[in-house]
Amino acid sequence: MYTDKTLVCKECGQEFIFTAGEQEFYAEKGFVNEPQRCKACRDARKNAAKPEREMFDAVCAECGKPCKVPFQPREDRPVYCSECFAKRRGE
Ligand SMILES: [Zn+2]
Ligand SMILES: [Zn+2]
């Protein structure tokens, strides 16, 4: 049977428990490698892989309202707020 095992996280160097339940789960899934990182570091990596989209402040070229766009606004290209953008697309 499995017993809890203490492993050392290679990311932060902290010890963490690879529980019997997790070992069983790993064995079931056929994973041969033990986890390299503690849960906190694994979660941090997971979040880092999916960064939140950076939003840039812009001013709508149509209505002049401040808005946010998911790209760096450029001087030579008008930026529209979502309402005006939808309106223009609907035209
Ligand atoms: Zn860690
Ligand atoms: Zn607008």
Side-chain angles (χ1 to χ4, degrees):
M1 273 323 284
Y2 298 102
T3 49
D4 288 2
K5 219 174 183 179
T6 304
L7 300 177
V8 177
C9 172
K10 78 168 190 185
E11 189 99 4
C12 65
Q14 297 262 14
E15 289 188 344
F16 65 99
I17 306 293
F18 187 27
T19 66
E22 285 170 332
Q23 290 173 52
E24 210 174 326
F25 176 79
Y26 266 58
E28 248 168 50
K29 294 278 175 199
F31 298 155
V32 288
N33 294 320
E34 292 176 338
Q36 308 279 303
R37 294 174 183 85
C38 67
K39 184 148 193 322
C41 288
R42 268 182 279 164
D43 285 349
R45 285 175 70 88
K46 226 187 286 167
N47 293 336
K50 262 194 285 163
E52 251 184 55
R53 263 226 272 190
E54 194 181 352
M55 298 297 275
F56 296 90
D57 288 315
V59 175
C60 176
E62 185 85 22
C63 67
K65 263 199 308 197
C67 55
K68 289 198 183 293
V69 290
F71 53 88
Q72 176 83 57
R74 282 175 35 189
E75 295 284 321
D76 57 341
R77 295 190 64 186
V79 168
Y80 302 103
C81 66
S82 53
E83 281 160 53
C84 294
F85 187 76
K87 234 187 281 169
R88 291 175 64 86
R89 239 192 351 197
E91 266 169 22

